[in-house]
Amino acid sequence: MTVSGGLNDFIDPAVRDSVAGFLATVETELRTAVASDDPLVTEVANHLMEAGGKRFRPLVVALCAQFGDAGRPELMPAAVLMELTHLATLYHDDVMDEAPMRRGAASANSRWTNSIAVYVGDYLLARAAGIAAGLGQEAVRLQSRTLAQLVEGQLAETVGPRGGDPIRHHLRVIEDKTACLFATSARFGGMFAGLPTEHVETLADFGTSIGLAFQLSDDLLDIASESAQSGKTPGTDLREGVPTLPVLYALAGNENPRLTALLSQGPLTDDADHAEALTLLRESAALKQARETVHGYAEQARRLAGTLPDGPPRRTLESLCHYIAGRTG
């Protein structure tokens, strides 16, 4: 499901129609952007788009553009290239993680093989690069910098903290792998809407903070939600041994020896162990601490938004901060 289905939750009525129309056009332009003369490439490239997704990065472009001229033609390709970049990383991530599912459907790698998934991920990056080239040298530079940060984040996640603080390392990985796309989306929105440099820089900082809050809130939902609110079965990260922030806080605090013992096992494939760990984690101080961290990043983003010109766009960004913080309770 795309974010456009929930715009009423946080977008000011004065800009809602504009943003909704923009996101609807993004869907059409994405399919045009990935079309290939080879039917297989087109099919695989459309696979994740047809499975849905939040389209949060195009949304950030649209929201930040509301502070300036939101009708400028450069904004649509900027939003499309950011979503293509994000989608490409999902194809690559699923190969690295050997993930069988993505967004409730078979992952591309499990359906078509790892090689095809990698090549189609590369294809999406190539199409994004072509769009960036059409937007000018600055867009190419920003896209290149963003890709380098994404790769650095993926490498950092792969090699681990290497003796450093696991929590600090985890937050850095999220900033590099997720928040940087939000930051560049926000920058593109402000830049191509003709905003002054100081506002563009504020929006980019906002993007980083809200991106961190967004990803961390998703990680908390995997533990705290009773339903598939996060887009996957609750406890999936625990079952796969993915060290999310609540797990890292629990291991660092060692508040419950039994929980520590369970989490130290890595992937919790045993159903009884998994259910016990999930229950203990939901009752732990670590979950509360992780929730406070999410609220901290959301509040940081809200303060940044508060320095921008008053009006419906600012109120929308502030409401977005409350919306993301509120997802985790």
Side-chain angles (χ1 to χ4, degrees):
M1 184 173 110
T2 62
V3 167
S4 57
L7 293 181
N8 290 340
D9 292 334
F10 57 86
I11 295 191
D12 191 282
V15 299
R16 188 178 299 147
D17 288 347
S18 172
V19 172
F22 185 90
L23 292 178
T25 304
V26 165
E27 294 299 312
T28 302
E29 293 298 320
L30 279 171
R31 281 160 178 76
T32 300
V34 305
S36 167
D37 292 336
D38 187 324
L40 176 62
V41 174
T42 301
E43 181 184 9
V44 181
N46 274 300
H47 179 63
L48 282 184
M49 285 192 292
E50 291 171 354
K54 301 180 182 71
R55 303 290 188 259
F56 231 107
R57 292 138 197 94
L59 173 67
V60 170
V61 174
L63 294 181
C64 294
Q66 297 298 318
F67 288 92
D69 182 357
R72 287 194 175 184
E74 298 92 344
L75 289 163
M76 182 58 61
V80 171
L81 86 86
M82 294 311 299
E83 187 66 10
L84 288 178
T85 303
H86 168 59
L87 288 169
T89 67
L90 299 185
Y91 283 86
H92 290 163
D93 281 354
D94 284 348
V95 170
M96 295 184 66
D97 298 340
E98 299 179 347
M101 303 288 290
R102 167 70 71 174
R103 294 176 175 171
S107 61
N109 50 296
S110 65
R111 182 170 172 181
W112 286 285
T113 76
N114 283 345
S115 295
I116 289 177
V118 169
Y119 288 137
V120 170
D122 292 345
Y123 171 77
L124 294 179
L125 288 178
R127 296 309 297 259
I131 294 172
L135 289 170
Q137 184 176 350
E138 180 64 7
V140 172
R141 187 185 69 81
L142 290 170
Q143 175 72 349
S144 174
R145 188 177 72 183
T146 302
L147 286 174
Q149 190 172 354
L150 284 166
V151 172
E152 288 173 351
Q154 185 62 66
L155 282 170
E157 182 178 54
T158 301
V159 302
R162 291 180 286 185
D165 178 3
I167 295 171
R168 184 184 299 273
H169 172 266
H170 181 68
L171 294 173
R172 178 204 157 188
V173 166
I174 290 178
E175 180 170 351
D176 287 347
K177 283 190 61 180
T178 301
C180 75
L181 282 171
F182 283 74
T184 302
S185 296
R187 185 180 293 277
F188 276 156
M191 186 173 81
F192 288 123
L195 298 185
T197 300
E198 61 268 26
H199 290 167
V200 173
E201 294 300 325
T202 298
L203 287 170
D205 290 341
F206 169 88
T208 297
S209 296
I210 206 66
L212 280 156
F214 174 82
Q215 183 59 55
L216 290 172
S217 68
D218 260 10
D219 293 346
L220 264 66
L221 284 174
D222 181 62
I223 294 167
S225 64
E226 295 291 345
S227 65
Q229 184 182 356
S230 62
K232 54 188 177 183
T233 304
T236 296
D237 290 333
L238 278 178
R239 192 174 293 280
E240 296 175 354
V242 177
T244 57
L245 189 62
V247 170
L248 293 173
Y249 277 146
L251 289 171
N254 195 23
E255 62 176 288
N256 185 320
R258 176 56 181 163
L259 178 58
T260 300
L262 288 167
L263 297 178
S264 298
Q265 293 180 30
L268 288 170
T269 55
D270 180 83
D271 288 344
D273 285 349
H274 176 269
E276 183 182 3
L278 192 58
T279 298
L280 291 174
L281 202 50
R282 285 171 172 172
E283 297 170 350
S284 70
L287 184 61
K288 179 182 179 182
Q289 187 177 6
R291 187 174 284 120
E292 289 171 351
T293 301
V294 171
H295 289 184
Y297 282 118
E299 175 58 21
Q300 183 174 297
R302 191 199 63 77
R303 287 197 300 268
L304 286 163
T307 68
L308 294 165
D310 193 16
R314 191 178 94 179
R315 290 195 294 272
T316 296
L317 292 191
E318 292 171 337
S319 294
L320 175 61
C321 297
H322 292 301
Y323 173 78
I324 290 178
R327 299 167 79 210
T328 62

